[in-house]
C-alpha cells in the first residue's frame, strides 16, 4: 500500500467489500510557526546618558542661532561652549559606560552638523562670516546629508515605511567619520567659536593683535579642509557601513542588555 503524501492526514475509513475506496479529501496540516526572532525586528536601547547629551546639543543649536541674530554674544558663546563640551563628553561616556549605540553614531555627527549649519548661517546673516565660506561649508553638509538619507533607506530592512525609517532604534548602518573630517570639524568649531568670541573682547585688544586679519586666513584653511573632508568619504567603505542582519540583531541585544 503506498504511503500518503507528506503533510497530509490519510483517511482511516476502510473500504467495505464490493465498494470503492473512500475518496475523502486529505487534510492539509498547517506549517510550523516561524521563530519569533525571524518575525520581529530587534530594537536597541537608545535611552542612554550619552544619547541624552547628544540630543541636548541638538536642542541647543537653534538657541545659539537665535542669540547670534539678536547680537547676544555672551549667551551665544556660552551655549556654543556647552555644545562643544557635550560633544567631547558624550563619546567618552559612551565608551566608559559601554553604552555605544548605532543611533549614537548617526545622531552625534548630525548634531554637529545642525549646530555648525545654524552657526554658519546666522553668523553669515549678521555679516561676521563671508558668504563664499558659508557656501563651501553648507554645500558639503548638504551633500553628506543626502548621502545619509540614501544609505539609511537602502539599509533599512523591509518593510520600508516612513515610521520605521525615522525609528532610530532600528540599527541599519554605521557612520564613522574619517580622520580629516574630525580635524575639519575641530577647525570649524574653532572658527565659529572665535567669530563669537571676538565681538566680546575689547576692540582695542582685537585691533592691536589684528585678530580679524588672522580670522581671514582661517577662512581659507577651513575651506580647504572642508573640501578635503568631503572628498575623503568617496570610495571609503569604512566611513559608512551597512549592517548585516546578524550585526543588527547583535547590536540590539547588547544595547538592550
Amino acid at each position: 500500500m503506498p504511503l500518503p503524501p507528506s503533510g497530509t492526514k490519510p483517511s482511516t475509513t476502510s473500504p467495505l467489500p464490493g465498494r470503492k475506496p473512500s475518496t475523502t479529501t486529505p487534510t492539509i496540516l498547517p506549517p510550523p510557526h516561524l521563530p519569533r526572532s525571524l518575525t520581529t525586528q530587534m530594537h536597541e536601547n537608545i535611552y542612554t546618558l550619552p544619547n541624552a547629551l547628544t540630543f541636548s546639543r541638538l536642542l541647543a543649536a537653534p538657541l545659539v542661532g537665535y542669540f547670534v541674530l539678536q547680537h547676544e554674544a555672551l549667551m551665544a558663546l556660552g551655549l556654543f561652549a556647552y555644545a562643544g563640551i557635550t560633544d567631547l563628553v558624550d563619546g567618552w561616556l559612551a565608551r566608559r559606560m559601554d553604552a555605544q549605540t548605532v543611533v549614537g553614531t548617526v545622531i552625534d555627527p548630525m548634531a554637529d552638523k545642525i549646530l555648525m549649519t545654524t552657526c554658519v548661517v546666522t553668523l553669515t546673516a549678521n555679516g561676521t562670516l563671508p558668504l563664499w565660506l558659508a557656501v563651501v561649508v553648507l554645500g558639503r553638509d548638504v551633500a553628506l546629508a543626502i548621502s545619509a538619507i540614501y544609505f539609511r533607506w537602502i539599509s533599512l530592512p523591509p518593510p520600508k515605511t516612513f515610521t520605521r525609517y525615522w525609528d532610530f532604534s532600528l540599527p541599519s548602518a554605521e557612520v564613522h567619520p574619517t580622520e580629516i573630517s574630525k580635524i575639519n570639524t575641530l577647525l570649524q568649531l574653532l572658527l565659529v567659536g572665535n567669530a563669537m568670541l571676538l565681538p566680546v573682547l575689547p576692540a582695542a585688544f582685537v585691533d592691536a593683535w589684528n585678530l580679524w586679519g588672522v580670522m581671514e586666513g582661517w577662512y581659507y584653511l577651513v575651506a580647504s579642509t572642508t573640501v578635503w573632508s568631503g572628498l575623503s568619504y568617496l570610495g571609503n567603505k569604512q566611513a559608512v557601513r551597512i549592517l548585516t542582519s546578524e550585526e543588527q540583531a547583535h547590536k540590539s541585544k547588547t544595547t538592550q542588555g
Side-chain angles (χ1 to χ4, degrees):
M1 179 177 180
L3 296 176
S6 176
T8 63
K9 183 178 180 181
S11 173
T12 58
T13 304
S14 300
L16 297 176
R19 293 188 180 182
K20 295 182 179 181
S22 174
T23 57
T24 305
T25 303
T27 303
I28 305 299
L29 298 178
H33 292 289
L34 292 175
R36 181 178 178 85
S37 60
L38 297 180
T39 58
T40 58
Q41 174 70 27
M42 298 295 293
H43 292 249
E44 67 174 359
N45 178 26
I46 64 174
Y47 302 103
T48 63
L49 179 58
N51 284 348
L53 291 175
T54 303
F55 277 108
S56 72
R57 193 160 73 253
L58 280 171
L59 297 176
L63 293 177
V64 173
Y66 171 79
F67 288 124
V68 168
L69 293 177
Q70 296 299 316
H71 300 284
E72 296 286 346
L74 281 177
M75 292 296 296
L77 185 61
L79 276 176
F80 184 78
Y82 166 80
I85 293 172
T86 58
D87 190 23
L88 297 174
V89 172
D90 59 3
W92 178 82
L93 282 177
R95 294 185 295 270
R96 182 81 173 181
M97 301 170 59
D98 194 20
Q100 294 171 303
T101 61
V102 173
V103 67
T105 68
V106 177
I107 296 297
D108 185 67
M110 182 187 298
D112 293 339
K113 291 301 108 184
I114 291 177
L115 176 65
M116 186 58 56
T117 299
T118 302
C119 292
V120 169
V121 169
T122 53
L123 287 171
T124 303
N126 70 6
T128 303
L129 295 180
L131 179 60
W132 67 266
L133 180 60
V135 171
V136 172
V137 172
L138 299 181
R140 169 194 177 269
D141 291 345
V142 168
L144 292 181
I146 294 175
S147 300
I149 293 172
Y150 168 75
F151 279 107
R152 171 62 174 172
W153 178 256
I154 65 172
S155 64
L156 184 67
K160 297 180 185 292
T161 63
F162 183 82
T163 302
R164 284 169 53 81
Y165 181 89
W166 293 106
D167 185 357
F168 292 114
S169 67
L170 294 173
S172 60
E174 286 184 336
V175 179
H176 299 282
T178 60
E179 290 302 320
I180 184 59
S181 180
K182 296 177 182 178
I183 296 174
N184 178 66
T185 299
L186 176 61
L187 293 177
Q188 287 185 353
L189 289 173
L190 291 175
L191 171 69
V192 171
N194 288 330
M196 294 181 185
L197 176 63
L198 291 186
V200 178
L201 298 177
F205 177 82
V206 174
D207 293 338
W209 291 91
N210 191 26
L211 295 183
W212 283 114
V214 175
M215 282 287 290
E216 290 183 4
W218 202 269
Y219 297 159
Y220 293 98
L221 175 62
V222 170
S224 301
T225 57
T226 298
V227 174
W228 184 3
S229 64
L231 295 176
S232 68
Y233 284 95
L234 298 178
N236 190 333
K237 297 181 179 180
Q238 297 301 319
V240 180
R241 191 172 67 87
I242 297 176
L243 302 177
T244 64
S245 57
E246 292 79 7
E247 289 175 324
Q248 293 175 18
H250 173 71
K251 288 182 177 293
S252 299
K253 290 178 181 178
T254 54
T255 54
Q256 285 177 339

